[in-house]
Amino acid sequence: MSLMGAVQEKKILVVGDIMLDQYYLGTVERISPEAPVPVFLKKEIKYRLGGAANVALNLAVNGQNVNVLSVIGEDENGAVLKALLQESHIAVNYLISAKRPTSVKTRLLAGNNQQVLRIDTEETADMESAIQDRLLETAKKHVSEFDIVVVSDYKKGVLSHDLSRKLFDICRKKGVKTLADVKDSRSSKYFGAFLIKPNRGELARLTKMPVRTEDEIKAAAVSLCKRCESSYVLATCGAQGMILTDGNGVYRKLGTTAREVYDVTGAGDTVIAYMAMCLASDMSILHSMEAANIAAGIQVSKAGTSSVQIGEVENFLSRKSERRGHSKLLSIEELSDYRKANKDKKIVFTNGCFDILHIGHLRYLKQASEMGDIFIVGLNSDASVQRLKGAGRPVNQEEERAEMLSCYDFIDYIVIFEEDTPYRAVAACEPDILVKGGDYTPDEVAGRDIVLKKGGCVKIIPYVDGKSTSQMIAKIEKGRLQDESSQLLP
């Protein structure tokens, strides 16, 4: 997946609660004599865009044409917030001023950006009806000009229940997709959104369902999809990554890509921003999710609310590709996308450990590849090989085995699977021909039912006699023992 070429400049409207994030930078070196609390010595103040404004920032830094539809206070903080938006090339012509305080989060950061205290200045009551009417009138007049709409709800008064329902209805009628980053516990508030993004706690509050396990999260997400007539729910689960579900229960899970969590502030904003610009550029929902997941992992490695640029995600993908050693590797989910886009192709699938490649493997794979248009090889992961073959296996790690297989021009794609059988991979790519080696009978081949159901077939290719990885390892071990024995002779 290459983001640089896939993501195009689009017109994106961000609706919701914008905030000013204020950072007091200083030091703590003593305890107050007045009370057992630290004394914070302020040395510097910095301002950043927060809330829905941080969503807009993540879009703007990546070349998107962004407008915000929101409300600021008629105060000094409102002026600072508006100036920051303009400096970030975010249009403010739909910004409304009101006689209420601008929402401000003030964080005191000591050495190593350690947060000592947070002070919130805000008014959370719904905006007065005249302000809500102006917001809706602007949406009715201009929403059709945008490629996608992001609704960022922080429950600071901009998005009342009634306004939200009307906004989603307007967008749906005008054929504009809406993505909702949610905070409210009333699921009806988000009725009609194309995609809803709750975290685990928000999902529990929206559905009144348990979300302790992955299965419970999926069940709650499906329920939310149906309640809101949404196409997707993307549940972010912190260190456990994120889970995407549709109303039929089809789902995908991605683990977190973060190597070190420094500050989770703004990670949700980054996710919804990347989903918006990727979907607006007609990327698939799964590729959009992967990009958003990587961006979130980069975000949490930074201090405070900050933007993540496409180049950073691209660099991560490049490093991932280098670690894998080739560009033929697909995930199981990407296999599913590939099959949907290539329904007219005859796909051949086989699988194995391919621990030490030998002539038997070469002849077997070459013969299998000649049976169709596209040849996909399933590769057991290291953990899977160890369970099947025992201690000491695999000899070569999965990245190395995948890189070796990728050198064969007749292999089109490789998928690594964690299970003992490639059943999920077979279900994802729905091959026309399923191939296995001569030590199997057709009835024993995993995924046989899937292939036969769609009118495909199972082929068994005889192995080359005397050629197997286990035999090669035994031969090497025998030779090593003979060498050691000869060295002991007088």
Side-chain angles (χ1 to χ4, degrees), residues 15-37:
V15 187
D17 305 287
I18 62 173
M19 308 175 207
L20 180 64
D21 281 358
Q22 182 174 243
Y23 292 87
Y24 285 4
L25 308 180
T27 59
V28 173
E29 297 179 350
R30 61 192 180 93
I31 301 298
S32 171
E34 302 164 2
V37 295

Side-chain angles (χ1 to χ4, degrees), residues 306-347:
S306 55
S307 58
V308 176
Q309 298 189 25
I310 288 177
E312 297 177 85
V313 178
E314 197 73 56
N315 287 338
F316 180 93
L317 289 168
S318 296
R319 292 195 300 272
K320 178 181 176 182
S321 178
E322 289 171 4
R323 289 194 301 271
R324 292 298 193 186
H326 53 84
S327 60
K328 292 184 178 181
L329 192 67
L330 295 180
S331 68
I332 288 177
E333 292 75 18
E334 286 170 332
L335 276 184
S336 180
D337 279 355
Y338 183 84
R339 167 45 96 185
K340 290 174 184 176
N342 294 275
K343 293 184 180 296
D344 59 332
K345 300 291 186 182
K346 181 184 286 188
I347 292 180

Side-chain angles (χ1 to χ4, degrees), residues 205-251:
R205 290 189 288 273
L206 282 163
T207 61
K208 308 297 188 292
M209 295 172 68
V211 292
R212 295 180 298 269
T213 67
E214 185 175 325
D215 286 340
E216 288 178 346
I217 292 170
K218 287 186 289 182
V222 170
S223 174
L224 184 59
C225 256
K226 292 178 178 178
R227 292 184 196 187
C228 296
E229 294 189 5
S230 298
S231 296
Y232 299 99
V233 167
L234 178 62
T236 54
C237 306
Q240 284 72 50
M242 55 179 66
I243 294 175
L244 179 75
T245 310
D246 67 13
N248 296 318
V250 178
Y251 79 100

